[in-house]
Amino acid sequence: MITITRLAKRFGLSRTALLYYDRIGLLSPTVRSDAGYRLYTDADVERLCRICSYRNAGLSLDEIRQLLKQPDAPKEQILRNRLRQLDHEIGTLRIQQRAIINILQSLGTSESVSAIDKEAWVRILRVSGLSDEDMEVWHTQFERDAPAAHHAFLRWLGIAEEEILQIRAKSNRNHSSATKTHR
Amino acid sequence: MITITRLAKRFGLSRTALLYYDRIGLLSPTVRSDAGYRLYTDADVERLCRICSYRNAGLSLDEIRQLLKQPDAPKEQILRNRLRQLDHEIGTLRIQQRAIINILQSLGTSESVSAIDKEAWVRILRVSGLSDEDMEVWHTQFERDAPAAHHAFLRWLGIAEEEILQIRAKSNRNHSSATKTHR
DNA sequence: GGTACTTTCACGTCGCGTGAGAGTAA
DNA sequence: ATTACTCTCACGCGACGTGAAAGTAC
């Protein structure tokens, strides 16, 4: 049995957020005091716990409600959807970064912008001691271990979608031929 | 002289967006027809052009208004602010990705999730032929060439903020000592 | 006369924040 | 009596979308 502000503080939320969760029926305290004060039980606290973990994943309150309603049916589906959505959002923000950098450069800016692109990245790897062939190995390994992350990383470097697909296709060819020769 | 829907289509916007821009005084057509139809002149079109380029950078309509009002005073400031803000937003989304992956894994998911973390990254670099020392060089060079990107990348790997700062501090020490010995 | 435009107005979205006015707990 | 809580209700944000009711262009 805990009052609203205390609960909010415990979870690093605001009181009004909890009021809102009650209003939309996401988390309504099971008990009210005589004066009408919200009193959250242990079960409510636990529910909030799960709500927070989903909020940390950036899910909407509506999606969270669905996840808590169902026993465990399409959880994975929803989470994977959000994962793809996040990939897309990050890509959008990266594009925005490039847009700003373009504007700044066309503005003839004084200081350098220090955003990394393909050339800068290759230079860093080369200084670290990688040859062109090593970099192919790097791509191949990256593609094998974490294809989605590989894609996201290349997009992060500002490489066009088309070229990304080419690079990944090549990495996959390297990989399959490598496994073939091993057999 | 172009009507609203035509202009919207030309720029890939919605008619209501342009109505909204008029309402908030961001882009008001200079001419109205006898019947009160909005008629956008060439100057209006050009203004919309700049608005779009700033929108592509993810700036708020309020910031865009400021950028268009001033001759060219604090443009760079605003753009650099947005750049830092974007870094932060991307970091937040990456954290959300990690959160989802954690949930999926605790859920005992079937297929692998293929998100990259510190260990996976180190493994890839090692397979490509980098020693521990080479990786230090890599950090140092990354920090020198693109400190902000270095930070963003480490966050992308899901490394805690504290450790990131340690790594970067070390890289900076390496860098300064390297330049010292060169003199 | 049909239909494809246009106008203004008001209300909905999402996740809360911000008061206002009134009651309650320690 | 003071102070620190609590309640409900209503309105605000940002960037539009979605009708509704009425007028206009072709």
Side-chain angles (χ1 to χ4, degrees):
Chain A
M1 293 300 206
I2 184 173
T3 56
I4 190 167
T5 302
R6 250 188 262 277
L7 182 61
K9 276 184 186 157
R10 176 181 297 184
F11 280 82
L13 298 176
S14 68
R15 191 182 71 102
T16 53
L18 291 181
L19 285 174
Y20 181 64
Y21 292 173
D22 189 4
R23 270 233 319 264
I24 66 170
L26 177 62
L27 177 69
S28 298
T30 28
V31 182
R32 291 276 192 143
S33 80
D34 296 353
Y37 282 26
R38 289 170 181 80
L39 294 178
Y40 294 86
T41 67
D42 285 356
D44 297 334
V45 173
E46 202 185 336
R47 185 178 172 87
L48 180 55
C49 210
R50 268 182 277 176
I51 290 173
C52 282
S53 105
Y54 287 136
R55 277 259 74 193
N56 289 339
L59 293 169
S60 75
L61 299 185
D62 211 59
E63 289 169 315
I64 293 177
R65 190 164 27 212
Q66 290 181 31
L67 282 174
L68 292 180
K69 195 156 49 184
Q70 306 278 343
D72 36 19
K75 276 187 187 176
E76 201 173 316
Q77 192 59 34
I78 293 181
L79 290 175
R80 281 185 191 279
N81 279 350
R82 174 67 186 151
L83 217 46
R84 267 189 301 131
Q85 191 185 339
L86 278 170
D87 259 358
H88 187 249
E89 286 177 25
I90 290 175
T92 302
L93 295 186
R94 281 299 303 176
I95 290 171
Q96 293 189 0
Q97 283 193 333
R98 303 250 132 224
I100 292 181
I101 288 166
N102 281 341
I103 295 175
L104 277 175
Q105 281 176 347
S106 80
L107 217 92
T109 180
S110 42
E111 306 163 41
S112 79
V113 188
S114 134
I116 196 159
D117 58 6
K118 189 180 164 189
E119 284 71 29
W121 177 253
V122 169
R123 196 171 58 242
I124 290 171
L125 282 189
R126 204 176 294 283
V127 170
S128 307
L130 289 193
S131 67
D132 284 357
E133 291 158 22
D134 292 335
M135 289 185 206
E136 270 201 34
V137 172
W138 172 73
H139 273 301
T140 304
Q141 195 69 19
F142 203 165
E143 180 67 23
R144 207 199 62 178
D145 285 6
H150 190 198
H151 194 107
F153 177 80
L154 295 176
R155 209 158 39 189
W156 188 61
L157 288 181
I159 297 175
E161 203 66 23
E162 199 181 349
E163 191 180 349
I164 290 178
L165 293 178
Q166 287 175 12
I167 292 172
R168 294 189 59 199
K170 191 175 175 190
S171 303
N172 279 314
R173 278 198 306 277
N174 282 343
H175 174 217
S176 58
S177 67
T179 52
K180 256 185 206 164
T181 53
H182 270 303
R183 278 175 196 161
Chain B
M1 293 303 206
I2 185 173
T3 55
I4 189 165
T5 302
R6 250 189 263 278
L7 182 61
K9 276 184 185 155
R10 176 182 298 182
F11 280 83
L13 298 176
S14 70
R15 191 182 72 101
T16 53
L18 291 181
L19 285 174
Y20 181 65
Y21 292 174
D22 189 5
R23 268 232 321 261
I24 66 169
L26 177 62
L27 178 69
S28 298
T30 31
V31 182
R32 291 277 192 142
S33 81
D34 296 353
Y37 281 26
R38 288 171 180 79
L39 295 177
Y40 294 86
T41 67
D42 286 357
D44 296 333
V45 173
E46 202 183 336
R47 185 178 171 87
L48 180 55
C49 210
R50 266 181 279 176
I51 290 172
C52 283
S53 106
Y54 287 135
R55 276 258 75 196
N56 289 338
L59 293 170
S60 76
L61 300 185
D62 210 59
E63 289 169 316
I64 294 176
R65 190 164 27 210
Q66 290 181 32
L67 283 174
L68 293 178
K69 195 156 47 182
Q70 305 278 345
D72 35 17
K75 277 187 186 176
E76 202 173 314
Q77 192 59 36
I78 293 179
L79 291 174
R80 281 183 191 280
N81 279 350
R82 174 69 185 149
L83 217 46
R84 266 188 302 134
Q85 191 186 339
L86 278 169
D87 260 357
H88 187 250
E89 286 178 25
I90 291 175
T92 302
L93 296 185
R94 280 301 303 175
I95 290 171
Q96 293 188 1
Q97 283 192 334
R98 304 245 127 228
I100 292 182
I101 288 164
N102 282 342
I103 295 175
L104 277 174
Q105 281 176 347
S106 80
L107 217 92
T109 178
S110 43
E111 306 163 41
S112 80
V113 189
S114 129
I116 195 158
D117 59 6
K118 188 180 165 188
E119 283 70 30
W121 177 253
V122 169
R123 195 170 59 241
I124 291 171
L125 283 189
R126 203 177 295 283
V127 170
S128 307
L130 290 193
S131 66
D132 284 357
E133 291 159 23
D134 291 335
M135 290 185 205
E136 269 199 36
V137 172
W138 171 74
H139 273 303
T140 304
Q141 195 70 18
F142 204 165
E143 180 68 24
R144 208 199 63 179
D145 285 7
H150 189 198
H151 194 108
F153 177 80
L154 294 176
R155 211 156 40 188
W156 188 60
L157 288 182
I159 297 175
E161 202 67 22
E162 200 182 349
E163 190 179 351
I164 291 178
L165 293 178
Q166 286 176 13
I167 293 171
R168 293 188 60 199
K170 190 175 175 190
S171 303
N172 280 312
R173 277 199 305 277
N174 283 343
H175 175 220
S176 56
S177 67
T179 50
K180 256 184 207 164
T181 53
H182 270 304
R183 279 177 196 163

